[in-house]
Amino acid sequence: GSGAVHTAPGHGEDDYKIGLRYGLDVIMPVDAYGKYDETIVREKLFRDTEKYLGLNVFKANDLILEELGEALLKRVDIRHSYPHCWRTHTPIIFRATKQWFISIDDEYGQKNQTLRQNALEVVENLKFYPEWGRNRLKAMLEGRPDWCISRQRDWGVPIAFFRNKKTDEIIFDEKVLNFTAMIFEQHGCDAWYDMEIKDLLYPGSGLNPDDLEKTLDILDVWFDSGSTQNAVLRSGNYDAGTFPADMYLEGSDQHRGWFQSSLLTTLASSEIAPFKSILTHGFTVDEKGEKMSKSKGNVVAPDKVLKEYGSEILRLWVAMSDYQSDLKISDNILKQNAELYRKIRNTARFLLANVSDLEEIVSVDKMGPLDKWVVNKAKKVFDEIEASFNVYEFSKGLNKLNNFLVVDLSGIYLDVCKDRLYCDDKNDIHRLASQSAMALIAKKLISTMAPILTYTMDELLEFSPAILKEGCDDIFDYKKVVLPEVKSDIDEVLLFTAKEKFSEIKDALSKEKVIKSTLELMIYTNCEEILALDEVESSDWFLVSSVTKDKQNSDILGSFQIDGKEFEVYKATAHKCPRCWKFTAVKEETLCNRCEEVLK
């Protein structure tokens, strides 16, 4: 109750901070087993140090009280709360122990800069996906203390130094260290625990093994993982690519972990960054954005997804996810990805089916306006997809692909080509041109999607005609396809507007049961852009029997204007061809001229 208490900087955090402030010596004479060590001899902490050396501190209490003799004014035993180990339920002794650090602010190396300066300089020149990763890593490097790389565990990679028991000095001898490294290479790092000091010590060191002890600290696991740049990329033991790596990618928590430890270990040893770029992704959560847990029952296990949907759907989900934030997954989301997969697969099947008898891809200059348009469109879209893939924005690229397949390719081009594919002569230039456009797009689709839907693209290649395979039997041998530059003079906006306005009239006529099929119709127009298409392409664009520049005498079923250009819809005046179903036959139940020529 005197209010005077002892201050022991080596035995408590508060005392340690007070000791630093007032320049007190940090004396810590207790070893890892709770026993007094050689410190009491060096510092002469007792009159009779032999009595206390190796004695448990709790057993020393009564001896110390005896030693105080008449100087002890009063002794009272009290019960009070005290920190205990949660595992063994025994009292804890606080010990300020020596640790190993990597200094962040000491100058070193060729540039004579600090590790912090070198790291911050490197961060400015790296690529980050997403870009906000740069500031996050930068802030952590600016504010971090020295890196404590030692841990006190019974397992792990040892910090393999010898300590002189009498002087407490670490043996920094290059030959001793190299000898230990050689033993590690032969027997692994467990040799440090398994072998005796006399066998681990370099024979010509001149040191007495009995005076030494092993340091039993292990390396921080982040030092282990940060050293993979050396153990993997630079070891020569693996086909692991080049050093530095093009990219390190991990979760957003690794700015304080692996990204940083890899950077610091490499800069410390080589003054070079281990990577050229860093990609950061979020964590997988359920469709509501909640963390997955067994208790909530919202865990989506990959092995179950593989069994139900197959690996391609899981791979597509990964590619379609905006990984820069948390990745949502659920049955509903997987079903949406399955629909996208089905669209890609079905479109590819249609393309393969219709190029199966194509023997040679015709040159672009022989193609019609619509064929040139779709190849030009595909070129632009696939260039945009590749640009997105090159900066790892896979979901953006796949959304562009989906839009092209649904709207332009399937929704327009493949639809307008069906008549010429099914009804034209095998060697008709209209048919060959359309097949050639499809072949080019099919090859580009296989080439682009091979890294994501590998099994599907391999299967497509297996069933592809020789003209698509280009001598490859395996998707891994398939070369990157580059679509040709094609100039398209089509006014896309006008054509789409005209098609949309015609569709409104057609839908109304179908609803009123005036027509059963658009082939029952013909269109008059004075629009030069439409008339510039040849007769086949203009009628195919609207899926009608014919487009004419001559006004008809029959009733107008509907009309519209675009920029003053007229469009009028009539019932077709000719008869239905039983083969192509177009109303272009001269007589009833007879073939039209085109079909008659083909059958000849």
Side-chain angles (χ1 to χ4, degrees), residues 40-106:
I40 64 170
V41 179
R42 286 196 306 275
E43 302 291 335
K44 298 187 174 75
L45 298 182
F46 294 100
R47 289 194 188 94
D48 183 4
T49 53
E50 288 299 318
K51 189 200 301 186
Y52 293 96
L53 191 62
L55 186 67
N56 186 285
V57 290
F58 290 127
K59 292 178 181 176
N61 285 339
D62 288 334
L63 291 175
I64 293 170
L65 290 174
E66 275 178 36
E67 197 149 320
L68 285 170
E70 293 179 1
L72 178 63
L73 300 177
K74 187 176 182 180
R75 170 183 173 168
V76 178
D77 289 334
I78 61 171
R79 291 179 68 84
H80 66 105
S81 60
Y82 193 80
H84 275 58
C85 170
W86 63 274
R87 276 201 177 116
T88 61
H89 308 294
T90 51
I92 288 170
I93 301 169
F94 290 93
R95 299 165 61 240
T97 57
K98 291 181 178 177
Q99 303 292 329
W100 295 86
F101 289 85
I102 291 180
S103 172
I104 299 296
D105 293 313
D106 283 349

Side-chain angles (χ1 to χ4, degrees), residues 22 120 136 197 201 214 261 293 304 333 339-340 352-353 422 438 449 456 521 534:
Y22 292 103
L120 289 170
R136 184 177 166 89
I197 292 175
L201 188 62
K214 302 172 188 174
S261 67
S293 76
K304 289 184 180 176
I333 292 168
E339 283 302 313
L340 171 57
L352 289 194
Y422 301 158
M438 289 181 192
M449 293 305 291
T456 304
L521 302 174
D534 68 25

